Amino acid sequence: MTQIAVNKAAEAKLQALALQAAQLSPQLDEAQIKDALDVAGYSSTFIGQDRAKAALGFAIGMDMPGYNLYVMGEPALGRFTLVQDILQQAASEKETPDDWCYLNNFDDERTPQTLRLLPGEGRVLVKKLEALIDELLDTFPAAFDNPGYQRRKKAIHAAFDNKYEAAIALVERKALEKQVVLYEENGAVSFSPVVDGKPLDDAEFANLADDKRQFFYELVSELETILNEQLLELPQWKRELSENLRTLRRETIEQAIKPLLKQLEHDYATELGILRYLREMRPELVKAVLELLPEELESDKAEELDIRGIFINDFVPNVLVHHESMSGAPIVFEANPSYGNIFGRVEYSSAQGSLYTNYRMIRAGALHKANGGYLILDADRLLTQPQVWDALKLALKAGEVSIDTLSEHAVTNSTIITPKAIPLSVKIVLLGSRDLYYLVQDVDDEFNELFRVLADFENYLPLNDQTIKYMSLQLQDQIQQLEAGPLTVCGLKQLLLFSFRQAEHQKKLSARFADVLELVREACFYANQAGDTELTGAHVQQALAGKQYRTGRISESFLEDIQEGQILIDSDGWAVGKINGLTVLEIGDTAFGTPARISATVYPGSSGVTDIEREVELGKAIHSKGVMLLTGYLGAKYAQQFPLTLSANIAMEQSYGLIDGDSASLAEVLALISAICGVPLRQDLAITGSINQHGQVQAIGGVNEKIEGFFKLCQSRGLTGQQGVVIPASNLLHLVLHQEVISAVAAGQFHIYTVRTVDEALELLTGLCAGERNHKGQYPKKTLNALTMQKLAAIAELVNGGAEEE
């Protein structure tokens, strides 16, 4: 193979690196699982998250400004459920907050006033005032038919008529003295001359002689002057008539309204705010009745005006926030934290092409609804809304919530109202991600002042009897709701294995319990479809297989490309400078592993190790860091007695997208050493792991998907019993592999090896002894490290010697 003999002892030693089937998945105790199925006497409770529970309890107990809460964690960890459960318990023990109303400000309608009432009293007041309006509409205009009113009205008219008739009678007497008759028709006064005791009509008057007509013209003109003198005060008489009638109507309305308002004043004798409003409302109510309810109102006109609606819009309070008595503190979750949804808004109506509004069109926001209780917001959505964050901080610091109608959030039109601010006492709970918390903490100095409490949700649940018991309880509750059969031991075992797999840990369960419940629902679907009376492990596996089939088109297409030779991956034989790395592709909610060929070439030069992915800007920072560590490793390992001088290229073949992570650095260093020495590497093994500058192999993520990705390729080509995967030893606890992989390992058809150092990986993939450095800094002859040092020294001599000759 090479000039280095295969070290049989090293080969035997490396067999100890192979894992047994029992190490590839958590080992569950059947008795423990069977005991967990017995949930008699247990009540459902939230599983785990003791740290977050303590933080929630502390934040709720600290009833002081600034002790708002940020709940940190990823989705599906049960953040909302736990927060809601704890808040409901705390809210039930708190007093129900008061109702808040907006009232018409009769002095300035543009600045509506606030009214604070006991819980539930807001709607009671509204009903009473609506009843008052209904009574007014029933009373008027019928109240004007009262005999006393009609008598006084006739007297006022009679007084006017007497003055008018006296003036007309005086003019009429003077006219008769001058042989002229006075006519009055439809309020118009005219004169006609009398000849031979007979009034003349127009035709007869025209036949008179000119001098006679002129005489009568002058006479009528004189009489008209006298008439004007007598009726000079007629406009004043009419004004007095109208004023007297208006005074009569006002007094009548006041007398009719007085007992109605008196009853309301008696009902709210202890409510100073309502009494003040009723006193202010009295003259305005009289004015409205005077203007809108005349003595006789045509029905068509009444319908057109909607008189009841006008009264309600002017006098009935707008109950902004209403609470049922003894309901406890409110808990409000605002899913869409826009400015209007948080702080409230003022609505507008259109009439005859123009917009208008009033105090009745003020709408409450989430802060109004949660006032006196708790408001839950999604931090990620909140911070994407313009100006909402700054306005929220201002409201919390000022202790009041205002509806801003003068900014860009309001509708610009001729009618602008500015509602009075309402005192604010609310506990804000933000649900957000870990990254967002630290980002806001960095850029906003006020954040820590207002959100002093952090509830940090963990991604894992402790593995103990209690956790499994309560998981079993909630799973069985879910199964009962879906009307499926009881959960079996094997069914619970498969669900627990799924949770282990989600956590990627053999000693911890995933805190994403929502994913387990989703799997239960899908398993129940298959059980009900088959008509089975129990929910078994087979149904759970069927649900997993179904989801894999629905989302597995892309992973299958990758495998087909490898099978067809479109993507070059070898699963047997030996090759120099080539190695099978392992990658994980995440697309949407699916993640799958696939092998990727990593190649290295070496030639004399001094340009160092070149990362082709980085040069073409396909490699992200962490990947580039992993490649740069190779130079440090090679220099510390081999170039202590000569300068490290070489030119090398490393690339991930047939990769056309962005690459991140340093999990390929172990494979890259092996490919590079193979290219330097000319020693071939096994192609039936794939490898993953990151390294540091001292050659230690470090843990990586996605280990299960990576192993299964290479296994599927080998399985599709036919398992030879030599194929396998090399992983970091520190990833052993993360193995939760599918049963088909475990079965293949148990049968000796597939192997999984763990390594702690680069030397162990070299020995495993080359079958040669790596060799350990002695006290002189030398490696034993005929070892892989000795050959590598020799090759690097030769390249350095060739490059540096050539430079000296020049």
Side-chain angles (χ1 to χ4, degrees):
M1 193 166 60
T2 67
Q3 72 272 27
I4 302 177
V6 177
N7 189 321
K8 299 297 183 180
E11 183 178 354
K13 176 182 175 183
L14 293 176
Q15 294 303 316
L17 300 177
L19 297 180
Q20 302 301 312
Q23 297 175 279
L24 305 181
S25 182
Q27 299 304 303
L28 297 173
D29 185 357
E30 296 281 343
Q32 184 185 34
I33 296 177
K34 187 174 182 180
D35 178 68
L37 288 174
D38 183 10
V39 294
Y42 284 82
S43 58
S44 182
T45 185
F46 194 88
I47 305 171
Q49 305 296 355
D50 293 336
R51 189 192 310 273
K53 290 177 184 177
L56 283 165
F58 175 76
I60 292 171
M62 291 293 291
D63 194 12
M64 299 173 63
Y67 283 88
N68 297 296
L69 180 68
Y70 188 98
V71 180
M72 182 170 70
E74 302 306 317
L77 293 179
R79 296 176 304 170
F80 184 78
T81 301
L82 178 59
V83 167
Q84 196 172 42
D85 290 348
I86 293 180
L87 290 185
Q88 283 177 350
Q89 177 63 32
S92 64
E93 299 172 358
K94 293 187 68 174
E95 294 183 359
T96 304
D98 294 335
D99 289 357
W100 282 96
C101 307
Y102 273 111
L103 305 174
N104 193 358
N105 185 349
F106 299 110
D107 294 331
D108 184 2
E109 293 183 352
R110 294 177 182 271
T111 57
Q113 298 298 307
T114 58
L115 177 64
R116 187 172 190 164
L117 296 173
L118 294 175
E121 289 297 319
R123 291 185 177 179
V124 173
L125 177 61
V126 167
K127 290 180 180 179
K128 289 185 177 182
L129 287 177
E130 287 179 346
L132 170 67
I133 291 172
D134 291 336
E135 291 181 10
L136 283 177
L137 294 178
D138 293 339
T139 302
F140 298 97
F144 298 124
D145 294 334
N146 183 279
Y149 172 83
Q150 293 295 331
R151 184 171 59 254
R152 293 179 63 186
K153 179 181 177 182
K154 288 179 181 179
I156 294 171
H157 279 288
F160 171 81
D161 292 342
N162 290 336
K163 292 180 181 180
Y164 182 78
E165 293 296 336
I168 294 297
L170 177 62
V171 176
E172 188 175 17
R173 286 194 304 270
K174 291 184 177 295
L176 290 175
E177 291 174 358
K178 299 180 181 294
Q179 298 297 310
V180 176
V181 177
L182 183 147
Y183 288 98
E184 184 179 4
E185 184 177 2
N186 297 328
V189 178
S190 61
F191 297 95
S192 177
V194 177
V195 178
D196 299 330
K198 177 184 176 184
L200 300 180
D201 57 19
D202 291 341
E204 292 172 338
F205 182 78
N207 293 328
L208 293 177
D210 292 342
D211 57 342
K212 195 69 172 176
R213 289 201 306 273
Q214 183 63 34
F215 170 76
F216 281 116
Y217 280 140
E218 294 175 354
L219 186 60
V220 168
S221 176
E222 180 184 349
L223 290 172
E224 288 177 344
T225 301
I226 296 173
L227 177 63
N228 290 334
E229 291 175 352
Q230 292 299 317
L231 297 180
L232 184 64
E233 296 182 355
L234 180 62
Q236 181 179 348
W237 297 343
K238 289 185 176 181
R239 287 196 300 270
E240 291 176 352
L241 171 65
S242 298
E243 184 61 32
N244 290 335
L245 288 175
R246 180 178 292 274
T247 301
L248 173 61
R249 294 182 69 239
R250 182 182 295 109
E251 292 175 352
T252 303
I253 294 169
E254 288 176 349
Q255 290 299 321
I257 288 177
K258 186 175 181 180
L260 302 179
L261 290 177
K262 186 175 182 180
Q263 181 60 45
L264 278 176
E265 291 173 351
H266 179 268
D267 293 342
Y268 293 101
T270 59
E271 295 287 345
L272 297 180
I274 298 179
L275 290 178
R276 186 185 304 112
Y277 177 66
L278 293 176
R279 285 196 298 269
E280 295 173 353
M281 184 179 71
R282 183 191 298 270
E284 299 298 328
L285 195 60
V286 171
K287 185 189 299 183
V289 174
L290 193 63
E291 295 176 355
L292 297 175
L293 296 174
E295 296 180 37
E296 295 181 1
L297 185 64
E298 298 177 4
S299 59
D300 293 343
K301 187 176 181 181
E303 291 179 1
E304 180 182 344
L305 290 176
D306 184 18
I307 295 175
R308 185 176 189 275
I310 295 174
F311 273 93
I312 287 176
N313 282 335
D314 286 344
F315 300 105
V316 176
N318 173 14
V319 182
L320 193 70
V321 181
H322 168 75
H323 299 291
E324 295 292 342
S325 181
M326 304 301 292
S327 61
I331 302 172
V332 177
F333 172 64
E334 179 52 60
N336 179 25
S338 64
Y339 194 95
N341 289 348
I342 295 294
F343 297 97
R345 60 173 61 85
V346 177
E347 296 179 348
Y348 294 83
S349 292
S350 175
Q352 298 179 351
S354 61
L355 296 176
Y356 73 93
T357 187
N358 64 9
Y359 76 102
R360 295 272 303 174
M361 303 175 75
I362 302 171
R363 298 293 176 257
L367 281 175
H368 299 98
K369 298 173 185 176
N371 199 4
Y374 308 95
L375 175 59
I376 307 172
L377 299 171
D378 187 305
D380 296 83
R381 293 180 180 176
L382 174 70
L383 293 173
T384 60
Q385 299 289 339
Q387 300 187 14
V388 175
W389 176 243
D390 289 335
L392 179 62
K393 291 189 298 180
L394 182 61
L396 292 176
K397 289 189 291 185
E400 61 180 24
V401 54
S402 302
I403 300 177
D404 185 4
T405 59
L406 301 178
S407 69
E408 64 269 22
H409 306 291
V411 176
T412 302
N413 72 87
S414 58
T415 303
I416 297 292
I417 64 175
T418 308
K420 186 178 179 181
I422 290 177
L424 179 65
S425 175
V426 66
K427 186 81 71 176
I428 304 292
V429 180
L430 292 183
L431 305 179
S433 65
R434 193 175 305 275
D435 293 340
L436 182 62
Y437 174 79
Y438 294 117
L439 174 62
V440 178
Q441 198 176 46
D442 267 349
V443 301
D444 193 336
D445 295 335
E446 297 174 319
F447 180 71
N448 286 337
E449 177 186 345
L450 296 174
F451 290 86
R452 301 177 185 271
V453 185
L454 170 66
D456 191 354
F457 272 65
E458 300 178 8
N459 293 324
Y460 305 104
L461 297 176
L463 178 61
N464 53 46
D465 292 342
Q466 185 181 20
T467 301
I468 297 176
K469 176 75 75 172
Y470 283 112
M471 283 186 67
S472 172
L473 173 61
Q474 295 194 25
L475 292 172
Q476 292 185 63
D477 287 344
Q478 180 72 35
I479 292 170
Q480 288 180 358
Q481 293 176 16
L482 297 172
E483 298 180 353
L487 182 63
T488 63
V489 172
C490 62
L492 179 56
K493 180 179 179 180
Q494 288 298 321
L495 291 170
L496 290 174
L497 286 174
F498 173 77
S499 184
F500 282 118
R501 175 64 177 251
Q502 293 295 95
E504 289 191 342
H505 205 286
Q506 294 185 1
K507 303 297 182 182
K508 297 178 182 178
L509 293 164
S510 172
R512 293 174 59 93
F513 192 65
D515 293 342
V516 183
L517 291 177
E518 178 185 348
L519 179 60
V520 166
R521 289 191 286 268
E522 295 177 8
C524 287
F525 167 78
Y526 289 107
N528 291 333
Q529 194 176 50
D532 294 335
T533 58
E534 293 181 328
L535 187 69
T536 66
H539 298 128
V540 176
Q541 291 177 337
Q542 189 177 6
L544 289 171
K547 184 172 184 178
Q548 174 62 33
Y549 179 74
R550 294 191 300 272
T551 61
R553 185 188 64 81
I554 297 177
S555 62
E556 290 178 3
S557 67
F558 267 86
L559 185 59
E560 289 175 0
D561 288 344
I562 295 174
Q563 291 286 61
E564 294 171 358
Q566 305 297 322
I567 298 177
L568 301 178
I569 299 291
D570 293 330
S571 56
D572 57 10
W574 301 72
V576 175
K578 298 178 183 177
I579 194 170
N580 291 327
L582 294 172
T583 63
V584 172
L585 298 180
E586 295 184 6
I587 303 174
D589 62 344
T590 62
F592 60 91
T594 182
R597 173 177 286 178
I598 297 172
S599 64
T601 58
V602 176
Y603 51 92
S606 58
S607 58
V609 179
T610 300
D611 176 15
I612 293 179
E613 310 300 332
R614 179 186 179 186
E615 294 300 318
V616 299
E617 297 184 352
L618 288 179
K620 291 189 176 181
I622 298 178
H623 176 265
S624 298
K625 174 186 175 182
V627 175
M628 293 174 70
L629 286 173
L630 300 184
T631 304
Y633 172 73
L634 292 176
K637 183 82 171 180
Y638 303 111
Q640 295 295 313
Q641 300 175 0
F642 55 87
L644 180 62
T645 307
L646 81 163
S647 292
N649 291 329
I650 295 179
M652 188 168 288
E653 304 290 355
Q654 294 182 282
S655 173
Y656 308 107
L658 293 175
I659 300 173
D660 200 9
D662 60 352
S663 63
S665 58
L666 176 58
E668 289 167 341
V669 74
L670 297 184
L672 185 58
I673 292 174
S674 171
I676 292 171
C677 300
V679 174
L681 300 172
R682 293 176 58 176
Q683 302 299 297
D684 53 4
L685 293 180
I687 190 166
T688 182
S690 69
I691 65 167
N692 60 26
Q693 294 187 89
H694 299 286
Q696 295 172 314
V697 179
Q698 304 166 144
I700 45 84
V703 63
N704 295 296
E705 289 80 4
K706 291 177 177 179
I707 293 173
E708 290 164 358
F710 190 67
F711 172 79
K712 288 180 180 179
L713 172 61
C714 296
Q715 186 183 47
S716 65
R717 290 179 172 177
L719 296 174
T720 64
Q722 301 299 318
Q723 298 147 331
V725 172
V726 181
I727 64 171
S730 50
N731 278 122
L732 176 59
L733 272 177
H734 304 145
L735 294 180
V736 189
L737 294 170
H738 290 159
Q739 185 58 45
E740 59 178 351
V741 181
I742 299 174
S743 299
V745 171
Q749 297 178 321
F750 195 75
H751 305 279
I752 299 175
Y753 302 96
T754 59
V755 294
R756 290 178 171 81
T757 64
V758 173
D759 283 350
E760 288 183 349
L762 276 172
E763 292 178 346
L764 190 58
L765 270 81
T766 62
L768 306 175
C769 180
E772 296 183 6
R773 193 196 305 265
N774 59 26
H775 66 280
K776 295 181 179 180
Q778 300 295 323
Y779 291 101
K781 294 181 179 181
K782 297 186 178 181
T783 62
L784 195 56
N785 285 331
L787 178 60
T788 304
M789 180 180 289
Q790 178 185 343
K791 292 289 187 180
L792 288 173
I795 294 175
E797 176 68 23
L798 179 62
V799 174
N800 297 328
E804 291 175 0
E805 291 175 3
E806 293 178 0

